[in-house]
Amino acid sequence: MQITEVEITGKTAAKLGLTADEFEKIKAVLGRTPNFVELSVYSVMWSEHCSYKNSIKWLKTLPREGKRLLVGAGEENAGLVDIGDGIACAFKIESHNHPSAIEPYQGAATGVGGIHRDIFTMGARPIAALNSLRFGNPDLKNMKNLVKGVVKGIGDYGNSFGVPTVAGEVYFNDCYNQNILVNAMSVGIVRIGETVSACADGPGNPVFIVGSRTGKDGIHGATFASADLHEESHEDLPAVQVGDPFQEKLLLEASLEAIKTGAIVGMQDMGAAGITCSTSEMSAKSGTGMRIDLSKVPTRQANMQAWEILLSESQERMLIVGHAGQEQPLYDVFEKWDLECVQIGEVTDTGLLEYFHEGEKVAEVPAESLVLGGGAPVYDREYTKPTYFSLVSQYHVNKVKSPENLTEAARKLFSQPNLVSKRWVYEQYDSMVRTNNLSTNAPSDAAVVRIKGSKKSLAVTVDCNSAYVYADPYVGGMIAVAEAARNIVCTGAVPVAITNCLNFGNPYNPEVYYQFVNALRGMGEACRKFNTPVTGGNVSFYNQSIVGDRTEPVYPTPTIGMLGILEESSHHTTLNFKAEGDAIYMLGNCYNDLGSSEYLRSVVGVKHSPAPVFELHEEFEIQQLVKSLIRRKWLRSAHDVSDGGLFTNLMESAIAGGLGFNIETVDTFRKDCFLFGESQSRVVITVAEDREDEFQNYLMNNNVSFTKLGEVFGTEVVIDDENFGSVGEWKEIFDNTLGEKFE
């Protein structure tokens, strides 16, 4: 083959993000020096974003097997779980952090589009979307613009595409001031046996590109996602893709219809690294190769070079391998939906990817050498305990003064952006399209999505308190999984599997890598306890900013997306108070603990403290108890104690039900710890007055720790006989605080 005239050196490789050792490895694989096109191919496929070279060792330690799993983690574009009745659920969460930090609207929008394509490229129809968003100080002008852009991007794309956004979380912390996090999750359903694999079986089979034309947007986007943000990152703006939700809607319907023709062998969406990634991963999976003529790829711009076509991350595109002789049905389907379907090559038996452009072979590389699990490098990075742990160890609750005015402390706490309603955000999302969302008028700890034609529903949630993970990565990783499971259980469902989006700083930083390794240790232990295997997900390193001469990693943020199954609609349990006189109980143990609480950070001003009290077995037992109580139909409401502690928990249930409460604290605990501490493994439930005796006997017979707090009462908030004001007053704070910041 012909080599480009430009001399390829280690310096060229370094500019593309490859190390000197990696450059030498590429030369050894090829038996020669690569040309620029080939080096570009390796640079994106061996980037962290595509190869997971710094994380795969530890990802493999997570539990990845379960009786409901239909495909293993990483085997397909998304996880696939058997939910019964002949139906499978495909679900996945991924990040779009750096693009959103540079161009928030398109960055967030294309993140939504990309995750939905991962679902319907498997043959599943997306029925729900979720997101987890992390922003910096909301009072900063630039941050306000980022928040508005991200929220509008998610809303515009999702609403136009026609999939409801049913749940999510929004956090603010100064650590995200330069590097926001935008994690998007999609959930879809498909009949078992009607899925499509991302494979390239059958030498001689045709290879098609379908959907949008290829442009210069998104080139080297995978490399961009695998580098630090810095003050000049705005100059990388061309790496941000541009999305078209209406085109994606057409592509969804056309893809699902094309699958029904039986003419498709395999299909994969073109996300990170575009044609390069799709051709290499599909070929490597099947042990085949491909001959691709890049001149046949429909382009939006004239005179695009071969490497630009290969690396473009233009949105709304798929690569399809069809059955030879069955090309016409595919052409007919995509023509019906007014989408281009062009054969650009064929499958071969060589194991090589051969790319041609205008009659010239511009690259020839072994497919296996490019991919995760094949020839892509794998590293085992060193790690050391973070130095800030010494500050954490200096904390003691006795050093924290009790508030002089509990009402004022409660009001200041409840006004924090992390605790108030995110109504300003979610009102920009369509949550009711397709009419399957059962949570809009009946709020519960997890969102509930009906499956039409089945008695079952899905319960879905995203969870992670990154402050806990920062304080103790191991415990914080466990809590992220445990809280997700607790939300599913409090909703009346059974947790079955997770997907994760692991957002961390630079893996070459030993302290960051310590956070990563230990967070995964904690996650893995919790997943094994709750029997929720990991179906797949995304690792996003390099979430930090270089500002002047200092580097600032974000808090370690392993976001958990969890799927649960609600077997019967009668099990659906909501969080709102139902009736005056209902008894309020707290299940689980309380402690004199303020560790890593929102109260300690935002009201007291202590940044470094331990993670809240957590014991995995205790958590498991509480969740088993709640499951049992829901199935006995004893609970009027259930709501887990998490961010903001017991006070915030009670206020959320009161506001949702329009009813107040009258409770008493327990003398053995400091009032600020009792009300504002975030010790884990606690659930607040309400029980009808006439069921109390039976309920209490059951708890005592099962040796369960519980506290009767008081009762649902009127429309006032009363604690220890002190009136904290009306529910209506607190609702004003809850509903309007965030909107007032951004409007």
Side-chain angles (χ1 to χ4, degrees):
M1 62 173 288
Q2 194 167 347
I3 302 298
T4 330
E5 292 181 6
V6 177
E7 183 182 358
I8 302 300
T9 64
K11 189 174 181 180
T12 313
K15 286 183 177 179
L16 294 177
L18 293 161
T19 67
D21 287 343
E22 288 169 348
F23 183 50
E24 292 303 318
K25 184 176 180 179
I26 293 167
K27 290 195 289 185
V29 168
L30 298 180
R32 55 179 169 78
T33 300
N35 65 19
F36 181 76
V37 176
E38 293 166 335
L39 195 65
S40 296
V41 166
Y42 277 102
S43 75
V44 292
M45 291 305 297
W46 285 10
S47 69
E48 183 66 40
H49 192 73
C50 292
S51 74
Y52 294 164
K53 59 189 177 185
N54 289 306
S55 57
I56 187 60
K57 173 187 173 179
W58 295 100
L59 294 177
K60 287 181 177 179
T61 66
L62 296 172
R64 299 185 291 171
E65 295 181 354
K67 63 180 182 180
R68 289 185 178 271
L69 299 194
L70 298 176
V71 299
E75 290 182 5
E76 297 293 349
N77 287 320
L80 193 66
V81 175
D82 185 345
I83 59 176
D85 297 337
I87 303 170
C89 175
F91 70 115
K92 188 180 183 183
I93 188 169
E94 280 198 342
S95 64
H96 228 222
N97 300 336
H98 286 184
S100 301
I102 300 300
E103 210 302 301
Y105 180 85
Q106 289 296 351
T110 52
V112 173
I115 197 64
H116 283 318
R117 282 197 305 280
D118 276 340
I119 300 304
F120 71 77
T121 195
M122 293 179 68
R125 179 177 289 277
I127 61 170
L130 303 87
N131 53 70
S132 174
L133 310 177
R134 314 280 163 152
F135 298 107
N137 186 338
D139 294 324
L140 299 175
K141 182 179 179 182
N142 178 58
M143 193 55 57
K144 290 179 189 290
N145 292 334
L146 287 172
V147 172
K148 290 178 181 179
V150 165
V151 172
K152 184 170 176 55
I154 291 172
D156 284 0
Y157 201 103
N159 298 350
S160 301
F161 184 57
V163 173
T165 301
V166 299
E169 57 179 4
V170 182
Y171 279 92
F172 299 91
N173 190 293
D174 286 351
C175 74
Y176 305 110
N177 275 348
Q178 285 81 36
N179 199 141
I180 64 175
L181 303 183
V182 176
N183 296 175
M185 179 173 168
S186 179
V187 181
I189 55 173
V190 60
R191 301 297 305 184
I192 293 176
E194 296 182 5
T195 55
V196 172
S197 178
C199 65
D201 297 342
N205 280 332
V207 178
F208 303 90
I209 188 170
V210 302
S212 295
R213 289 181 165 242
T214 298
K216 293 186 178 183
D217 52 324
I219 293 173
H220 269 296
T223 308
F224 175 55
S226 305
D228 294 329
L229 286 185
H230 49 79
E231 292 172 330
E232 282 75 44
S233 285
H234 63 278
E235 295 178 2
D236 295 328
L237 190 60
V240 179
Q241 309 93 324
V242 178
D244 181 346
F246 301 104
Q247 188 84 339
E248 176 128 329
K249 175 64 174 173
L250 297 178
L251 186 58
L252 162 67
E253 300 301 339
S255 298
L256 296 184
E257 187 172 327
I259 291 169
K260 292 179 181 178
T261 67
I264 291 180
V265 173
M267 179 164 61
Q268 181 164 325
D269 80 294
M270 291 185 191
I275 294 174
T276 300
C277 187
S278 301
T279 54
S280 59
E281 290 184 349
M282 293 176 77
S283 298
K285 182 173 184 176
S286 296
T288 55
M290 288 186 188
R291 290 171 59 93
I292 301 294
D293 187 349
L294 299 173
S295 306
K296 294 183 178 179
V297 174
T299 58
R300 290 203 301 266
Q301 288 143 298
N303 302 318
M304 286 186 67
Q305 298 183 53
W307 66 272
E308 292 177 316
I309 297 171
L310 271 174
L311 271 57
S312 168
E313 295 182 11
S314 294
Q315 299 291 285
E316 291 85 80
R317 300 179 301 158
M318 297 282 199
L319 194 75
I320 290 177
V321 174
H323 287 287
Q326 298 183 39
E327 294 87 352
Q328 196 57 48
L330 294 177
Y331 289 135
D332 291 343
V333 167
F334 285 96
E335 183 180 7
K336 169 188 171 182
W337 290 98
D338 198 26
L339 293 171
E340 293 193 84
C341 174
V342 178
Q343 183 177 347
I344 61 171
E346 65 179 15
V347 178
T348 67
D349 61 2
T350 63
L352 298 174
L353 296 173
E354 301 171 87
Y355 299 114
F356 294 81
H357 188 241
E358 296 181 353
E360 176 190 351
K361 182 186 283 189
V362 293
E364 179 181 295
V365 296
E368 184 74 8
S369 72
L370 295 170
V371 301
L372 169 68
V378 175
Y379 298 119
D380 186 8
R381 298 293 173 201
E382 64 178 51
Y383 52 93
T384 58
K385 282 188 178 181
T387 54
Y388 67 80
F389 277 12
S390 63
L391 299 175
V392 172
S393 65
Q394 293 173 21
Y395 166 86
H396 195 283
V397 69
N398 292 341
K399 296 180 181 178
V400 180
K401 287 181 60 177
S402 297
E404 295 180 4
N405 187 316
L406 202 63
T407 309
E408 286 184 9
R411 194 173 296 271
K412 184 174 181 181
L413 172 66
F414 200 65
S415 302
Q416 295 304 312
N418 286 340
L419 299 184
V420 295
S421 169
K422 306 308 184 293
R423 188 177 73 167
W424 178 84
V425 173
Y426 67 69
E427 282 188 344
Q428 298 184 53
Y429 305 152
D430 188 337
S431 63
M432 291 302 294
V433 62
R434 303 186 66 83
T435 66
N436 292 323
N437 185 0
L438 303 183
S439 305
T440 302
N441 299 316
S444 48
D445 278 5
V448 178
V449 183
R450 178 177 54 139
I451 302 173
K452 291 178 179 176
S454 171
K455 293 181 180 179
K456 298 178 179 178
S457 300
L458 300 178
V460 288
T461 186
V462 287
D463 285 288
C464 178
N465 188 315
S466 60
Y468 300 168
V469 191
Y470 177 77
D472 188 326
Y474 174 66
V475 172
M478 284 196 290
I479 291 176
V481 175
E483 185 180 352
R486 200 184 317 139
N487 285 332
I488 297 290
V489 167
C490 286
T491 304
V494 178
V496 295
I498 75 162
T499 177
N500 56 63
C501 196
L502 308 176
N503 308 272
F504 290 81
N506 191 322
Y508 294 85
N509 179 337
E511 294 190 2
V512 167
Y513 208 68
Y514 178 97
Q515 295 172 333
F516 177 75
V517 170
N518 284 279
L520 263 68
R521 285 181 55 234
M523 288 167 50
E525 189 166 337
C527 284
R528 281 182 280 271
K529 186 71 173 180
F530 297 115
N531 193 25
T532 52
V534 179
T535 63
N538 173 223
V539 177
S540 177
F541 280 134
Y542 302 97
N543 291 294
Q544 55 190 31
S545 302
I546 299 173
V547 183
D549 59 353
R550 70 186 190 278
T551 301
E552 299 178 350
V554 301
Y555 278 4
T557 312
T559 305
I560 303 298
M562 185 171 283
L563 173 72
I565 298 175
L566 190 68
E567 296 287 351
E568 299 177 18
S569 59
S570 62
H571 292 166
H572 185 194
T573 307
T574 55
L575 62 83
N576 52 304
F577 290 152
K578 302 297 189 301
E580 283 198 62
D582 283 355
I584 304 173
Y585 285 82
M586 180 174 67
L587 306 177
N589 292 305
C590 187
Y591 299 88
N592 275 319
D593 172 37
L594 290 173
S596 291
S597 63
E598 186 71 33
Y599 171 76
L600 198 61
R601 285 193 310 277
S602 302
V603 178
V604 181
V606 176
K607 180 180 178 181
H608 292 95
S609 62
V613 173
F614 176 78
E615 202 283 314
L616 186 57
H617 181 71
E618 180 183 350
E619 176 75 43
F620 180 78
E621 292 300 317
I622 286 293
Q623 292 191 22
Q624 294 302 106
L625 171 67
V626 173
K627 285 182 195 176
S628 173
L629 294 173
I630 288 174
R631 277 146 189 75
R632 289 172 179 268
K633 296 182 169 43
W634 280 346
L635 304 190
R636 301 291 292 270
S637 69
H639 187 22
D640 81 310
V641 179
S642 56
D643 304 342
L646 176 63
F647 180 81
T648 296
N649 168 290
L650 293 167
M651 287 306 314
E652 289 172 346
S653 293
I655 290 168
L659 293 167
F661 56 88
N662 185 352
I663 68 158
E664 292 184 359
T665 61
V666 178
D667 291 342
T668 52
F669 303 105
R670 288 175 43 155
K671 286 191 178 183
D672 53 352
C673 293
F674 190 81
L675 292 172
F676 309 141
E678 298 177 12
S679 56
Q680 299 293 291
S681 311
R682 293 182 292 160
V683 175
V684 172
I685 54 92
T686 55
V687 182
E689 196 173 7
D690 60 359
R691 305 295 299 273
E692 265 201 277
D693 290 343
E694 183 183 18
F695 171 75
Q696 281 200 16
N697 287 335
Y698 181 82
L699 294 185
M700 288 186 286
N701 289 337
N702 283 274
N703 196 28
V704 175
S705 297
F706 68 93
T707 305
K708 182 174 181 181
L709 298 172
E711 63 179 357
V712 178
F713 181 78
T715 57
E716 300 294 307
V717 175
V718 180
I719 301 174
D720 293 336
D721 296 326
E722 180 182 351
N723 193 313
F724 277 53
S726 70
V727 172
E729 293 172 36
W730 291 96
K731 187 176 189 299
E732 282 289 314
I733 297 171
F734 188 66
D735 284 349
N736 300 325
T737 297
L738 202 64
E740 289 171 357
K741 275 190 179 295
F742 293 110
E743 294 300 339

